[in-house]
Amino acid sequence: MKGVASRIYLRPPALADQREFTARARASRKLHHPWVTAAATPVAFRQYVQRMAQPGNCALFVCVKETHEIAGVVNITNIILGVFRSAYLGYYAFAGFEGRGLMREGLAAVARHAFTQLKLHRLEANIQPGNAPSIALVKACGFAREGYSPRYLKIGGRWRDHERWAIVAS
């Protein structure tokens, strides 16, 4: 999106975000099902913030510049440095912000942050094959499909197949 002013900014979560975040998570349950379950209670939100503050994790909120609303989330997890310099991505938009290109801007900005600030070489997103919007998002951000993993992650109480999508620093 070169030459276009960004409509978003990234920032880490804070405990003060609890009310907005949990309200958006509850309002987004239908949008997120069955792909992800966002922290929809105060306890779950505090646990999320604590987990993402641990070494090896980095959470970033995709916020709308004009209104400062939280439009979505990108989590960089299982960061491994050394010769591997790789991590996993998880992400989701909140209801009302999907389909507007905000997460495309956000994911691209997170990838730049991961490659320039965190000094990672590779980011991997594992996506259930039926999640067409998520697959379209990573494709739009330059990720390449690397493979297919049967029964890869347990989501909603079931082991689910996933496609592996990745991008490397250029």
Side-chain angles (χ1 to χ4, degrees), residues 13-89:
L15 290 175
D17 296 315
Q18 176 186 301
R19 180 171 281 139
E20 178 185 359
F21 188 97
T22 57
R24 292 195 188 288
R26 286 190 304 275
S28 301
R29 282 184 175 140
K30 187 175 179 180
L31 174 67
H32 292 163
H33 182 78
W35 319 117
V36 69
T37 303
T41 67
V43 170
F45 180 76
R46 283 192 303 277
Q47 290 171 341
Y48 163 73
V49 171
Q50 290 169 348
R51 185 173 59 254
M52 296 313 295
Q54 297 298 312
N57 294 327
C58 175
L60 294 165
F61 287 171
V62 178
C63 298
V64 180
K65 264 188 188 174
E66 191 173 296
T67 64
H68 305 289
E69 295 170 288
I70 303 168
V73 176
V74 182
N75 296 317
I76 304 172
T77 60
N78 298 314
I79 297 170
I80 300 173
L81 298 176
V83 296
F84 195 40
R85 307 201 77 74
S86 183
Y88 293 102
L89 284 179

Side-chain angles (χ1 to χ4, degrees), residues 86-166:
S86 183
Y88 293 102
L89 284 179
Y91 51 85
Y92 47 91
F94 285 124
F97 297 99
E98 75 277 19
R100 294 173 40 190
L102 298 168
M103 287 302 290
R104 179 178 178 183
E105 287 183 45
L107 188 56
V110 168
R112 282 191 303 277
H113 174 78
F115 296 144
T116 61
Q117 303 302 309
L118 301 178
K119 305 296 186 202
L120 295 179
H121 172 69
R122 171 188 161 81
L123 292 172
E124 181 175 319
N126 291 283
I127 306 166
Q128 293 177 59
N131 192 344
S134 188
I135 290 170
L137 175 60
V138 293
K139 280 183 181 179
C141 289
F143 285 65
R145 186 178 187 272
E146 292 188 334
Y148 184 84
S149 300
R151 298 174 43 86
Y152 182 68
L153 291 172
K154 194 171 193 177
I155 298 175
R158 290 185 36 221
W159 289 101
R160 301 189 188 261
D161 300 345
H162 282 71
E163 294 182 7
R164 288 188 320 279
W165 289 81

